[in-house]
Amino acid sequence: MRVLIVEDDAALCRSLAATLRDEAIAVDMANDGEEGWIRAREEIYDAVLLDVMMPKLDGWEVLSRLRQESKVPVLMLTARDTIPDRVKGLDSGADDYLTKPFDNSELLARLRALIRRSAGSSQAVLTVGALQVDTARRQVTRNGVGVDLTAREYSLLEYLLLNRGKVLSRTLLYERLFDENDDSLSNLLDVHVSNLRKKLGAELITTRRGHGYIIE
C-alpha cells in the first residue's frame, strides 16, 4: 500500500508516517495543502490522509480539486469536530472523517477498511483455497495453522490478494509497496515473493514473465 499524508504539523506528520511504516505501508508526506495537491496529482496512492487547516491550500480545497479528477480514498484528519464540519467533509467527497486526537489503532482500522472497499472487498478476511488472511488482525493461516510473515511479506500478500486476478507489474508493486526509506536493492521484490512461496506454497503466486505477478 502507498499512502499520502498531508499534514502541516511536522511532528504529527512524522509520527503518522512512522506508525504506517511499522505496518509496512509505504508513505509520502506533504506539509502544506499545495504540496499535497501536487503530490496527489503526480503519484497514484491507495489512500490520502488529509488535514483540514493548512497553509497555502486548506484541506477542503485540496479535497475539492482531488474529487474533480480522482477517486482515491480520502480520510480527513482534523480537530474540527462539530457535526456541520463532519457533514461538510463527507458531503465534499471525503470517504471518512476522524477527529484529533485519535488512537492510532482506530486510524489504521479505518484506513484498512477504506483501502479494502476501494479494492472492491468489504470483507476483512480474504480467502484463497486453504489460505486465509485476516486483514483486521494482520494474521495469516494456512489449513488453520498460523503462518509468520514479516511486515513486508504480509503487505505484499495483502496487496496481491486485494487485486486478485490481476497481473501486477514489478514497477507497480515497487511503487505501491516501497518508499524512499526502503532498501533500493533491485531484487528486493523477488526476495519477498520467494519467501512467500516458501511459507505459503509455490503455487500461490504465479509469475507472468515480462508482465509481473498474479494470484489467480
Side-chain angles (χ1 to χ4, degrees), residues 119-187:
S121 174
S122 60
Q123 301 296 320
V125 178
L126 307 174
T127 302
V128 179
L131 176 69
Q132 286 198 324
V133 178
D134 186 330
T135 60
R137 297 179 179 177
R138 295 174 67 83
Q139 293 179 343
V140 178
T141 59
R142 187 183 183 208
N143 294 316
V145 179
V147 180
D148 289 328
L149 301 181
T150 67
R152 188 66 70 191
E153 288 165 1
Y154 175 87
S155 183
L156 172 59
L157 175 64
E158 181 185 49
Y159 195 76
L160 286 167
L161 284 174
L162 286 172
N163 291 278
R164 186 179 176 186
K166 300 176 183 175
V167 178
L168 304 179
S169 70
R170 293 171 56 82
T171 299
L172 184 146
L173 288 171
Y174 266 107
E175 288 176 351
R176 293 302 180 91
L177 299 174
F178 302 97
D179 62 25
E180 68 274 10
N181 282 13
D182 289 301
D183 195 323
S184 60
L185 289 174
S186 61
N187 68 339

Side-chain angles (χ1 to χ4, degrees), residues 31-201:
N31 291 128
D32 63 61
E34 185 176 62
E35 181 186 5
W37 164 236
I38 292 171
R39 278 186 170 270
R41 294 193 72 190
E42 292 178 343
E43 302 287 343
I44 298 174
Y45 293 100
D46 294 289
V48 175
L49 301 183
L50 181 62
D51 187 22
V52 173
M53 303 302 292
M54 292 184 293
K56 298 186 180 179
L57 288 179
D58 65 24
W60 304 125
E61 180 60 25
V62 175
L63 179 61
S64 174
R65 295 186 183 189
L66 267 177
R67 282 295 171 256
Q68 293 179 33
E69 54 186 75
S70 172
K71 295 180 179 179
V72 62
V74 175
L75 173 55
M76 303 290 286
L77 301 175
T78 177
R80 301 177 65 158
D81 61 354
T82 66
I83 290 177
D85 282 325
R86 296 181 186 213
V87 171
K88 180 179 180 180
L90 295 172
D91 280 349
S92 298
D95 297 274
D96 202 354
Y97 195 100
L98 187 60
T99 56
K100 303 174 184 175
F102 51 80
D103 188 275
N104 283 340
S105 61
E106 181 180 4
L107 169 69
L108 289 170
R110 288 174 180 264
L111 188 58
R112 287 193 294 266
L114 282 183
I115 292 173
R116 280 200 309 271
R117 288 199 296 271
S118 176
S121 174
S122 60
Q123 301 296 320
V125 178
L126 307 174
T127 302
V128 179
L131 176 69
Q132 286 198 324
V133 178
D134 186 330
T135 60
R137 297 179 179 177
R138 295 174 67 83
Q139 293 179 343
V140 178
T141 59
R142 187 183 183 208
N143 294 316
V145 179
V147 180
D148 289 328
L149 301 181
T150 67
R152 188 66 70 191
E153 288 165 1
Y154 175 87
S155 183
L156 172 59
L157 175 64
E158 181 185 49
Y159 195 76
L160 286 167
L161 284 174
L162 286 172
N163 291 278
R164 186 179 176 186
K166 300 176 183 175
V167 178
L168 304 179
S169 70
R170 293 171 56 82
T171 299
L172 184 146
L173 288 171
Y174 266 107
E175 288 176 351
R176 293 302 180 91
L177 299 174
F178 302 97
D179 62 25
E180 68 274 10
N181 282 13
D182 289 301
D183 195 323
S184 60
L185 289 174
S186 61
N187 68 339
L188 196 56
L189 180 62
D190 301 311
V191 171
H192 292 310
V193 170
S194 175
N195 289 340
L196 285 175
R197 285 171 169 158
K198 290 176 183 174
K199 295 178 180 181
L200 302 174

Side-chain angles (χ1 to χ4, degrees), residues 160 163-168 203-208 212-216:
L160 286 167
N163 291 278
R164 186 179 176 186
K166 300 176 183 175
V167 178
L168 304 179
E203 71 287 352
L204 177 65
I205 301 173
T206 301
T207 301
R208 295 286 177 81
Y213 298 103
I214 181 174
I215 291 181
E216 302 280 4

